[in-house]
């Protein structure tokens, strides 16, 4: 399988349970299967005031509990954790997004990630329109000179047709359809699969 381009994965709401139990263990599994690029970083972004080390410690706990490689040697896990860092950010404050932009530019220049980024919204749905707007307003949405930016949104994408269309309109003001990925993990649930089968 072809490895993706070098990039930075930014997880908004990174201090929450989803990142600890699902996202970081899954990214670690990719790392162990040699499916991540040569140069990558995972930047947790959240309101909770924690240090890089505290963030890594919490993610290590998640890997040890939920990864498919939970029995790995501490040195292997430590190698992965070295790619993780954390930034305190108010996800509704434009000035904080300017700080985020500077932080990403510094990471990019150090790691040579080609200005590529994935933004994962592990946040309450009320922020699904806010974060892409602020990313756009500070210029973190643009793909130029061969670089790319992607946005991942988990369910729910709106609560009904009107709210979904309003959210789509707001996000598409700053991102193209090719940049937006929508995930509904409930489609993998047994009940939903039975409904689809019938």
């Amino acid at each position: 399988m072809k490895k993706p381009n070098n990039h930075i994965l930014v997880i908004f709401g990174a201090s929450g349970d989803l990142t600890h139990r699902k996202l970081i263990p899954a990214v670690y599994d990719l790392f162990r299967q040699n499916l991540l690029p040569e140069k990558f970083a995972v930047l947790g972004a959240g309101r909770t005031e924690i240090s890089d080390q505290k963030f890594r410690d919490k993610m290590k706990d998640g890997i040890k509990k939920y990864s498919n490689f939970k029995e790995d040697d501490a040195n292997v896990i430590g190698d992965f954790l070295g790619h993780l860092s954390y930034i305190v950010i108010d996800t509704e404050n434009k000035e904080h997004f300017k700080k985020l932009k500077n932080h990403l530019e510094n990471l990019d220049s150090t790691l040579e990630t080609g200005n590529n980024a994935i933004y994962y919204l592990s946040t309450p749905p009320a922020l699904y329109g806010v974060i892409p707007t602020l990313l756009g307003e500070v210029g973190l949405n643009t793909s130029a000179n061969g670089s790319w930016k992607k946005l991942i949104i988990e369910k729910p994408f709106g609560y009904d047709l009107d709210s979904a269309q309003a959210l789509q309109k707001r996000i598409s003001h700053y991102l193209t359809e090719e940049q937006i990925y929508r995930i509904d993990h409930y489609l993998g649930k047994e009940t939903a699969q039975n409904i689809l089968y019938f």
Side-chain angles (χ1 to χ4, degrees):
M1 180 180 284
K2 183 182 177 184
K3 289 187 180 184
N5 295 335
N6 297 339
H7 67 271
I8 301 169
L9 170 62
V10 182
I11 302 175
F12 289 96
S15 57
D17 191 53
L18 178 66
T19 304
H20 170 255
R21 284 193 314 112
K22 299 288 186 182
L23 300 182
I24 292 300
V27 175
Y28 179 71
D29 287 353
L30 293 174
F31 173 77
R32 282 290 281 109
Q33 295 171 76
N34 202 27
L35 294 174
L36 291 182
E38 179 184 345
K39 298 179 180 179
F40 74 94
V42 180
L43 177 63
R47 296 180 189 216
T48 304
E49 294 266 357
I50 56 174
S51 66
D52 285 349
Q53 191 55 52
K54 290 276 188 188
F55 180 65
R56 291 180 186 127
D57 290 344
K58 183 176 180 181
M59 296 308 112
K60 179 179 180 180
D61 177 70
I63 291 168
K64 296 295 279 182
K65 287 181 180 175
Y66 306 110
S67 167
N68 290 325
F69 299 91
K70 58 176 70 82
E71 304 299 329
D72 272 354
D73 180 271
N75 291 329
V76 178
I77 296 175
D79 184 27
F80 171 77
L81 294 173
H83 294 270
L84 275 59
S85 59
Y86 185 87
I87 185 171
V88 179
I89 181 172
D90 178 349
T91 47
E92 299 182 80
N93 186 323
K94 185 174 179 178
E95 292 305 310
H96 283 220
F97 277 76
K98 291 177 182 177
K99 179 177 81 168
L100 173 65
K101 182 177 184 179
N102 289 335
H103 192 82
L104 289 173
E105 287 172 350
N106 289 336
L107 271 177
D108 177 63
S109 66
T110 301
L111 296 174
E112 300 174 345
T113 54
N115 201 27
N116 299 321
I118 299 172
Y119 306 115
Y120 194 109
L121 304 190
S122 179
T123 64
L127 294 173
Y128 289 177
V130 175
I131 293 172
T133 297
L134 292 175
L135 287 170
E137 288 181 357
V138 301
L140 283 172
N141 60 325
T142 54
S143 300
N145 301 319
S147 69
W148 47 260
K149 305 289 188 297
K150 307 288 184 185
L151 177 76
I152 301 175
I153 300 176
E154 282 217 27
K155 59 114 194 119
F157 194 90
Y159 298 99
D160 54 24
L161 181 59
D162 289 342
S163 61
Q165 288 175 333
L167 179 59
Q168 175 63 26
K169 184 176 181 181
R170 184 171 184 183
I171 293 174
S172 62
H173 184 72
Y174 295 100
L175 296 158
T176 66
E177 187 60 30
E178 292 75 28
Q179 292 177 286
I180 304 167
Y181 292 82
R182 300 165 189 84
I183 299 173
D184 189 340
H185 58 254
Y186 277 100
L187 290 177
K189 299 282 186 181
E190 188 174 313
T191 302
Q193 288 177 340
N194 288 339
I195 292 170
L196 290 171
Y197 173 77
F198 284 113

